[in-house]
Amino acid sequence: ISSEESTSTVIAILSGGIFRPGQLFSLFDELDVTLKVSKQRAIDEIMAIATESPMALYGSGYWADHWEYYLDLIEAYTSIYPDGEESLMYDTELRYFFSTATVKPRSQKYVEDYTFDGKSKHILQLDATVFDNDKVKEQEAFRNVTTGLVANEANWQRTGGPGNGRAFTSPAITKLFLLGVMKFSMRDAYGMGVEYEGGRPGWNDAMNGLAGMVGSGMPETFELSELLKYVLSVVKKFQRPLVVPSELADMVDTVNDALDELLASGYEDSEELTSDVPKELFKYW
């Protein structure tokens, strides 16, 4: 850095909170900071001592396929570092994103409306998510009174009340199991496709209307099968316990109880898919 003034400015920027790499150079230009080295070397040295802080902002709806790429990333990593799989799965603590949007229960997003010809009625899923003002209030506890900005820490689920406690974490294998349980419990009334309950379909954007038709996707079910197989293979391979949050344990118990009730009903799938959901499947759903 070419001057003491520029040095103090850069120190203030780097110690002032989170930043994006490209944002740094914009600030340098605005504040007339002159570098003695190339931008590439400058960013390399800054990144070498910086701490990564993931962040995200909610846009609109929850796309049904975004979770499917985790296995691709894991496979890519383990193909290069096969001896790092156990540490990746069990020793890597991950936080949970605290979204300001909430998926509505069925009672609030399922509506009865006329069909396109106006001759009958059908069920639609509309406005599947809602901007949750209570969550926004929780994030206010992290607003900096000096800058007026909400700190990045507001984006993580915490163990205490609003603004209190540490960011909750769990090993990667636990998060993958939680994901599998959630998707398994969100299969449609026939027990086939994973529902588009977040208001958005999978990768095919031309199918945006399918979510409004209370639609579901079989590709997500196939991905779910691969995910659960992987979780089971990891647990068997490393013979280490799978520790889960108490809320997840309660959910697993609820799903298992419903499955036991379905099994006890004696229901068996027919060769043909009926237009009306069998009452046993509907009750489980």
Side-chain angles (χ1 to χ4, degrees):
I1 299 173
S2 61
S3 67
E4 284 190 23
E5 183 178 357
S6 292
T7 299
S8 60
T9 300
V10 170
I11 291 174
I13 292 173
L14 296 180
S15 61
I18 60 174
F19 58 85
R20 296 185 297 274
Q23 188 181 34
L24 283 180
F25 295 120
S26 296
L27 287 172
F28 290 169
D29 292 339
E30 291 177 13
L31 300 173
D32 295 324
V33 172
T34 303
L35 300 173
K36 285 185 175 180
V37 297
S38 67
K39 288 185 176 181
Q40 184 61 58
R41 180 176 174 184
I43 198 64
D44 286 345
E45 294 191 8
I46 291 172
M47 291 298 102
I49 60 173
T51 300
E52 181 183 10
S53 182
M55 67 178 298
L57 292 174
Y58 173 77
S60 175
Y62 289 104
W63 297 95
D65 64 322
H66 286 187
W67 60 276
E68 298 172 10
Y69 311 112
Y70 292 143
L71 281 186
D72 297 331
L73 296 173
I74 293 169
E75 289 173 2
Y77 177 85
T78 54
S79 67
I80 302 173
Y81 306 105
D83 56 344
E85 184 178 28
E86 181 177 7
S87 178
L88 175 67
M89 288 294 107
Y90 285 96
D91 303 326
T92 305
E93 292 287 324
L94 301 175
R95 291 175 287 184
Y96 288 72
F97 182 60
F98 184 72
S99 176
T100 50
T102 297
V103 176
K104 294 178 182 177
R106 294 172 185 157
S107 60
Q108 295 180 19
K109 62 182 178 178
Y110 284 7
V111 297
E112 185 180 41
D113 200 0
Y114 285 101
T115 56
F116 74 96
D117 59 6
K119 296 180 179 180
S120 59
K121 289 187 175 183
H122 59 174
I123 301 299
L124 297 176
Q125 175 182 251
L126 302 178
D127 299 323
T129 61
V130 60
F131 193 69
D132 196 325
N133 288 318
D134 289 335
K135 291 182 177 179
V136 175
K137 291 178 182 177
E138 287 194 36
Q139 291 187 327
E140 283 297 315
F142 294 92
R143 187 174 296 280
N144 187 303
V145 294
T146 302
T147 64
L149 301 176
V150 176
N152 191 43
E153 286 300 303
N155 293 321
W156 304 112
Q157 184 71 48
R158 313 193 79 76
T159 57
N164 298 316
R166 64 175 179 83
F168 179 76
T169 64
S170 66
I173 189 65
T174 297
K175 290 202 74 171
L176 290 176
F177 179 63
L178 183 150
L179 177 61
V181 172
M182 291 291 292
K183 296 303 176 182
F184 181 87
S185 68
M186 291 190 299
R187 290 172 303 135
D188 59 33
Y190 286 102
M192 296 175 64
V194 175
E195 291 183 321
Y196 296 145
E197 39 65 57
R200 291 290 184 269
W203 67 271
N204 188 353
D205 290 1
M207 298 177 67
N208 272 335
L210 188 57
M213 298 166 64
V214 197
S216 58
M218 284 303 296
E220 286 75 26
T221 302
F222 298 137
E223 292 287 350
L224 169 61
S225 175
E226 293 303 306
L227 173 65
L228 293 176
K229 288 176 182 177
Y230 176 74
V231 171
L232 181 60
S233 71
V234 169
V235 174
K236 286 184 175 180
K237 181 188 300 184
F238 300 113
Q239 293 295 303
R240 291 177 62 173
L242 182 60
V243 181
V244 302
S246 59
E247 296 88 346
L248 177 55
D250 292 340
M251 183 176 182
V252 171
D253 288 340
T254 300
V255 172
N256 281 335
D257 289 343
L259 287 171
D260 289 341
E261 186 176 347
L262 177 61
L263 182 63
S265 72
Y267 172 78
E268 294 184 3
D269 287 324
S270 62
E271 291 294 327
E272 297 183 3
L273 191 65
T274 58
S275 57
D276 293 327
V277 178
K279 62 179 182 180
E280 295 89 351
L281 290 182
F282 187 81
K283 184 176 182 181
Y284 168 81
W285 179 73

